[in-house]
Structures are given as C-alpha cells and as structure tokens.
C-alpha cells in the first residue's frame, strides 16, 4: 500500500508544532501501525532527517506507552485495541492518515508525538499505600470474596494507564483512569482501610495537575483499549461524596 501521512512535528514543549506530510510506500497490511512508523523513520534517518519521536515499549497492548491519535481517535479505529496492536490492514491503499499526540494541558508535548504523562504517576503516588500487613502470598481462599466482586476488581486492574481516556474527553478528564485505579483496591477487603482517604487524595491531585471534570460524555469508555466501563466513575463519585460528607467538607 501507499499511504499519505500527516504527522504532528513539534521540536519541543514550547515550540509551535504543525502537521507535516510524508508518503509511506510498500506498506504491508501485516505491519502494525508502529512498524509502519519505524519504516518511515528509517527512510528519514537515511536521508539525514530527524526521526519522528513516538512512545512505545511492549508493543503487545500491556504497557500503556503507545499514545497516538489516529484520524482523530486515540489509539485509532479498532475498539479495545492499543495503537501498537492496530494493523495496517485496517487501512486502504491511497488513504490519508493524520497522526497526532494526546492533547491535554496536563499531558504537555515533549517532542512530536511524545507527551509527558508523569501526572498519572503523581496521582498514583497521591493514592498512598495499602497499610495492612499482607504477609506472604496467602492461600487463594483465605479471604472469601464474591466472584462478581473479584472479577470487577480485576477488570478495573486491567487499566494500563495510557491516558487515551483523557485525550478523548472534551474536558481532558482523568476520571476513567482514576476510577479504574480506585476500584481495583476499593472493591476488595484489602483496600478498605484507606478507601476514602485514597479517593480524596487522588481526585485532589488530578485537580492540581489540571485534568478537567467529568460531564458523562462517555468518550473515554469508547476509546479505552481495556474497555474500562464508566460505571467505575459512578462508584468513585459515591466514595468521594461519602468521604467529603464524613470529613464535613
Ligand atoms: S482507563 Fe483505559 S484509556 Fe484510561 S488510562 Fe486506563 S486503559 Fe488507558
Ligand atoms: S507499546 Fe505497550 S501498550 Fe502499546
């Protein structure tokens, strides 16, 4: 396939960026989207030009590093799929593809398609630790937990912290990410001692980082590569109100 690419190039955080046109030739339908960009970069490097900067690590949909907006959609057109797992067979010969970085004030562009997502690390740190002594690995059945609860907590733990939910939201809200991280602990007995201080700490840190509020658009759920449901946000909001009420705020 021959594809026309329009790729966001930006030399640094304070430099204005722009879309630059490239042609990708001999693209195999079996290539992943990132492999296609690798080939474009090899061509740029061979001709002495600056390679396009983009993030990736596992390329298996598990680390959350890849972060491209493809034709206006974070992670591209395939539902429940990270952009590293998106394949070029999804496109047709002659297509024009626009590639941009996550866009949110709290995720400033570092270079080209790379954004700084360290705000998520600070939110996780604000959640603090689980204080109970868990000791060694216990037998699986020493703490009886209903299967439905375990599965909901595990589904929440599938969040890879990619930030696509923020990129898709018109408010740049991090609520889907926050609520997934809070649910994976808040649903389980081990997460109860700090459940309410954790929700307050993480939401306040998200506000400090400049993420917006949730207005129930549902865009986050639509683009989440791990299909985290927005029902987590309702659970987080209930916990937050309970924590605020108890603290007399
Ligand atoms: S909730 Fe989904 S979109 Fe948001 S950070 Fe987690 S995996 Fe990524
Ligand atoms: S590179 Fe790890 S999830 Fe895409």
């Amino acid at each position: 396939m021959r594809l026309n690419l329009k790729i966001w190039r930006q030399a640094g955080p304070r430099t204005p960026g722009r879309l630059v046109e490239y042609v990708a030739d001999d693209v195999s339908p079996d290539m992943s989207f990132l492999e296609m960009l690798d080939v474009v970069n090899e061509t740029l490097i061979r001709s002495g030009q600056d390679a396009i900067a983009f993030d990736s690590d596992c390329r298996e949909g598990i680390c959350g590093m890849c972060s491209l907006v493809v034709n206006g959609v974070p992670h591209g057109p395939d539902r429940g799929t990270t952009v590293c797992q998106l394949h070029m067979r999804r496109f047709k010969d002659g297509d024009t593809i626009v590639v941009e970085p996550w866009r949110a004030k709290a995720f400033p562009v570092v270079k080209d398609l790379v954004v700084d997502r360290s705000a998520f690390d600070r939110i996780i740190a604000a959640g603090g630790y689980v204080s109970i002594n868990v000791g060694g690995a216990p037998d699986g059945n020493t703490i009886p937990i209903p299967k439905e609860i375990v599965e909901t907590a595990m589904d929440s733990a599938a969040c890879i912290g990619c930030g696509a939910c923020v990129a898709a939201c018109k408010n740049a809200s991090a609520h889907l990410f926050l609520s997934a991280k809070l649910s994976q602990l808040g649903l389980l007995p081990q997460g109860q001692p700090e459940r309410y201080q954790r929700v307050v700490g993480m939401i306040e840190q998200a506000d400090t980082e400049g993420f917006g509020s949730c207005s129930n658009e549902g865009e986050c759920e639509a683009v989440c590569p791990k299909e985290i449901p927005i029902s987590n946000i309702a659970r987080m909001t209930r916990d937050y109100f309970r924590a605020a009420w108890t603290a007399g705020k």
Side-chain angles (χ1 to χ4, degrees), residues 34 55-67 75 82-85 160 162 225-226:
L34 301 189
D55 259 334
S56 75
D57 191 356
C58 70
R59 299 199 176 194
E60 291 181 341
I62 54 176
C63 76
M65 280 300 283
C66 55
S67 49
H75 287 303
T82 53
V83 72
C84 61
Q85 294 279 289
I160 54 175
C162 63
K226 298 299 156 187

Side-chain angles (χ1 to χ4, degrees), residues 58-210:
C58 70
R59 299 199 176 194
E60 291 181 341
I62 54 176
C63 76
M65 280 300 283
C66 55
S67 49
L68 304 178
V69 177
V70 179
N71 288 341
V73 182
H75 287 303
D78 282 349
R79 254 190 119 105
T81 306
T82 53
V83 72
C84 61
Q85 294 279 289
L86 174 67
H87 283 78
M88 298 314 295
R89 64 182 78 96
R90 195 65 168 75
F91 302 93
K92 295 191 307 292
D93 184 42
D95 272 359
T96 297
I97 306 174
V98 180
V99 190
E100 297 168 272
W102 282 180
R103 295 205 186 276
K105 189 174 125 205
F107 288 160
V109 171
V110 176
K111 186 179 178 191
D112 298 337
L113 303 169
V114 177
V115 298
D116 178 357
R117 282 171 284 178
S118 57
F120 270 11
D121 299 335
R122 292 187 289 276
I123 290 172
I124 294 291
Y129 294 93
V130 173
S131 65
I132 60 166
N133 182 3
V134 293
D139 287 345
N141 58 359
T142 49
I143 306 175
I145 308 169
K147 184 170 186 293
E148 193 186 313
I149 298 286
V150 170
E151 292 201 340
T152 309
M154 283 302 290
D155 287 349
S156 308
C159 167
I160 54 175
C162 63
C165 44
V166 174
C169 177
K170 68 175 188 177
N171 308 319
S173 167
H175 273 43
L176 195 65
F177 162 76
L178 283 162
S179 65
K181 297 299 176 193
L182 286 159
S183 292
Q184 84 183 55
L185 290 171
L187 282 165
L188 298 176
Q190 295 91 333
Q192 296 312 306
E194 290 85 13
R195 177 171 173 178
Y196 296 105
Q197 81 192 52
R198 188 184 305 120
V199 67
V200 172
M202 290 175 75
I203 288 180
E204 286 182 352
Q205 187 64 36
D207 290 345
T208 305
E209 299 290 348

